Amino acid sequence: MTNDNKLVRIALSGPNAKPLSKAQKEFNRLSARVAELEKLLIDYQASVDAVQQRIQADYIPLLAAYNQARADLVRLFDRFYDNPEATRSERRKIARLIVDMGEDLLFRHGFADLRAIVGKYSQQDLDEADDAVQQLEQMKQTAAATYGLDLDDIDFESPDELMAYIEQQVRERQAEQERRNARTEQSKSNQQQADEAKQAAKLQQTTKTIRTLYRELVKAYHPDRELDEAEKGRKTAIMQQVTEAYEKGDLMALLRLQLTLNELDQARVNTLADEPLRHYNKLLKQQIDRLTDELTERQQYMASLLGRPLTSVQSTFGLEVSIGEAVNSLKRDVKAIKQQLKSLTQPAFLKAWLQAYYG
C-alpha cells in the first residue's frame, strides 16, 4: 500500500460548469473512501507496531513474573499437603488448587519442572496428555499414508502444527504441478486451449482498465532504454510502484501515480465519460471491500491478542487504552499474588485462607 494518499477526484471546471453526473459523484465518493481506508490502515498498523513493542517490553516480563509466582504457590501447596496438621478437607482443596494451577502452568506456559508435582494429584489428566501425544502420532501416520509425506523425523507440538505443515506441503506440490503444467502447455488439446483462451478473454475484459493505465505508465517509465544512470534509477523505483499496484489490481494507486507523474492531468480526469467511470467505480468498490476486510482482520487479531472485545480495539486510541489497561491489570495481579505468596508461607494463615476457599 502506498503512503501517498493523494485524493483523485472530479472537480467542476468553472462557475458555469454542468453539475456532476451520478457516476462522477460516485467516483468522488468512492475515491475519498479508498483514501480514508488507506490512511486508517496505515495509522492502525503504526499503533499495532507500538502495541507489540509494549507487549515485548512490558507485558511479557510481567506475565513471566506472574506465572513464576503461581509456580511458587504450587510448590508451597505441595509442601503443605504433607504437613501432619493438614486436615482431609484442606488436602482435598490443596490437591484441586495444584491440579488447576499446575496444569495451566505445565501445559500452557512450559513449566516442565511441575510435571512430577501435578502428577501426584492428577495422574488421570497426565494420562490424557500422554493420550494426546499418541493421538498426534496416529495423525502423523495417517497423514504420511494419505499424502505420501515422510514425517518420521519431524516433531510437532500440536495437531494444528501438523495440519499447517501438511497444508504447506500440499501447496508446494500444487505449485510444482502448476509449473509442470506450464511446461507441457503445448501438449494440450485444441479444445483445452480454446477453453482457456475464452477464460483469459473474460479476465482480460475485466481488467482492461487497469491494464490500460499500467501500459501507459510502463511506456513512459520503463528503465531499460534509459542511458542516464540517475534517471534510470528513478524510473526503476517508479516501475516498482507501478508493478506493485498493477499486481494488486489497485486502480486508485495507478491513478495517483499518473497524476503525481503528470501522465494524467486534472482536466482529463474531469472529462472522463460516464461509461468508463462506471467501470472505475466497480473496481473502486472491489478495492474498498479488500481494504475493509484487511482492516477488520487486523482488528480481530489485536482483539484476540489482547483478550479484549472487538469494539474496544477498532481505533488507534482503543488499542492504546487496551494495552495500557492490560499492563496495569497485570501489574496489580503480580503485586497481589506476591503478597499472597508471602502471607501463605505461614501455615496458620494458609489454613485460614483454605477455610475461606470454597473450591
Side-chain angles (χ1 to χ4, degrees):
M1 184 187 304
T2 178
N3 288 332
D4 183 5
N5 292 101
K6 182 176 181 179
L7 184 62
V8 180
R9 66 187 303 273
I10 299 171
L12 295 175
S13 57
N16 298 322
K18 294 181 179 179
L20 296 181
S21 69
K22 182 178 179 181
Q24 290 174 324
K25 291 179 180 178
E26 180 74 350
F27 179 87
N28 283 350
R29 184 185 69 81
L30 294 172
S31 173
R33 181 57 179 162
V34 168
E36 178 187 6
L37 283 169
E38 287 179 335
K39 185 176 187 307
L40 282 173
L41 273 166
I42 292 171
D43 293 345
Y44 194 82
Q45 187 58 48
S47 293
V48 168
D49 293 341
V51 167
Q52 290 176 332
Q53 289 176 2
R54 189 163 184 196
I55 287 174
Q56 292 294 326
D58 298 335
Y59 191 85
I60 289 179
L62 284 169
L63 183 61
Y66 179 70
N67 285 328
Q68 184 58 58
R70 293 171 69 213
D72 291 340
L73 269 178
V74 169
R75 299 184 187 97
L76 174 64
F77 293 150
D78 179 51
R79 292 193 299 270
F80 180 79
Y81 189 91
D82 296 326
N83 189 323
E85 297 182 0
T87 67
R88 180 178 299 179
S89 175
E90 289 170 344
R91 288 194 175 96
R92 178 183 58 80
K93 293 179 179 181
I94 284 290
R96 183 172 297 179
L97 284 164
I98 289 175
V99 170
D100 291 345
M101 195 180 301
E103 286 186 345
D104 180 68
L105 291 165
L106 174 60
F107 298 119
R108 292 186 56 205
H109 300 287
F111 281 76
D113 59 313
L114 296 179
R115 174 174 286 274
I117 294 177
V118 175
K120 289 165 56 177
Y121 306 96
S122 181
Q123 187 59 47
Q124 177 181 354
D125 290 329
L126 290 177
D127 289 343
E128 290 177 358
D130 292 336
D131 289 343
V133 173
Q134 294 177 4
Q135 182 182 11
L136 183 58
E137 186 61 29
Q138 291 175 354
M139 290 178 63
K140 284 177 60 177
Q141 295 174 5
T142 301
T146 302
Y147 299 100
L149 299 173
D150 184 6
L151 305 174
D152 291 340
D153 297 328
I154 305 176
D155 293 325
F156 300 98
E157 294 295 331
S158 68
D160 289 343
E161 185 177 340
L162 170 61
M163 293 307 299
Y165 179 83
I166 293 172
E167 291 172 359
Q168 178 186 355
Q169 295 300 308
V170 170
R171 285 195 298 270
E172 290 177 358
R173 286 185 178 182
Q174 290 174 340
E176 178 60 26
Q177 186 61 46
E178 290 173 0
R179 288 191 290 270
R180 291 177 182 173
N181 293 342
R183 289 193 293 267
T184 59
E185 182 70 25
Q186 296 303 319
S187 65
K188 293 182 178 180
S189 67
N190 292 335
Q191 184 60 46
Q192 286 176 309
Q193 293 183 18
D195 291 342
E196 291 176 1
K198 186 177 180 180
Q199 292 298 323
K202 290 181 179 179
L203 179 62
Q204 183 178 13
Q205 181 63 30
T206 301
T207 60
K208 182 178 179 180
T209 302
I210 290 178
R211 270 203 322 279
T212 299
L213 296 175
Y214 172 71
R215 288 170 179 170
E216 289 177 358
L217 287 165
V218 169
K219 183 178 179 180
Y221 290 97
H222 202 289
D224 285 358
R225 297 181 181 179
E226 182 60 57
L227 299 179
D228 183 84
E229 288 300 320
E231 184 65 9
K232 185 174 184 178
R234 185 181 78 89
K235 288 186 175 181
T236 299
I238 291 172
M239 279 305 302
Q240 289 176 346
Q241 297 179 60
V242 171
T243 302
E244 179 183 358
Y246 176 68
E247 290 176 349
K248 291 181 178 179
D250 192 339
L251 170 67
M252 190 53 57
L254 290 171
L255 287 172
R256 286 188 186 123
L257 282 167
Q258 282 195 317
L259 282 173
T260 301
L261 301 171
N262 295 321
E263 294 298 324
L264 175 68
D265 58 25
Q266 186 63 51
R268 183 178 167 190
V269 174
N270 292 345
T271 57
L272 284 172
D274 278 0
E275 186 59 34
L277 272 178
R278 278 192 284 269
H279 187 60
Y280 276 31
N281 291 345
K282 181 179 179 181
L283 295 175
L284 289 175
K285 288 177 182 177
Q286 294 173 356
Q287 186 172 352
I288 287 170
D289 289 341
R290 290 196 300 270
L291 292 170
T292 301
D293 289 344
E294 184 179 352
L295 180 60
T296 300
E297 287 175 4
R298 295 187 191 184
Q299 292 168 341
Q300 290 173 338
Y301 170 75
M302 293 308 296
S304 175
L305 181 65
L306 297 174
R308 305 284 292 181
L310 178 61
T311 53
S312 68
V313 298
Q314 288 180 316
S315 67
T316 56
F317 176 76
L319 269 181
E320 294 172 2
V321 171
S322 294
I323 186 59
E325 290 178 349
V327 168
N328 290 334
S329 176
L330 192 51
K331 282 181 179 179
R332 292 191 294 268
D333 291 342
V334 169
K335 182 178 180 180
I337 198 171
K338 285 184 175 181
Q339 292 175 343
Q340 184 183 53
L341 181 61
K342 182 177 180 181
S343 300
L344 294 181
T345 55
Q346 305 173 40
F349 191 93
L350 177 53
K351 290 174 74 69
W353 182 81
L354 285 171
Q355 187 175 4
Y357 177 73
Y358 292 98

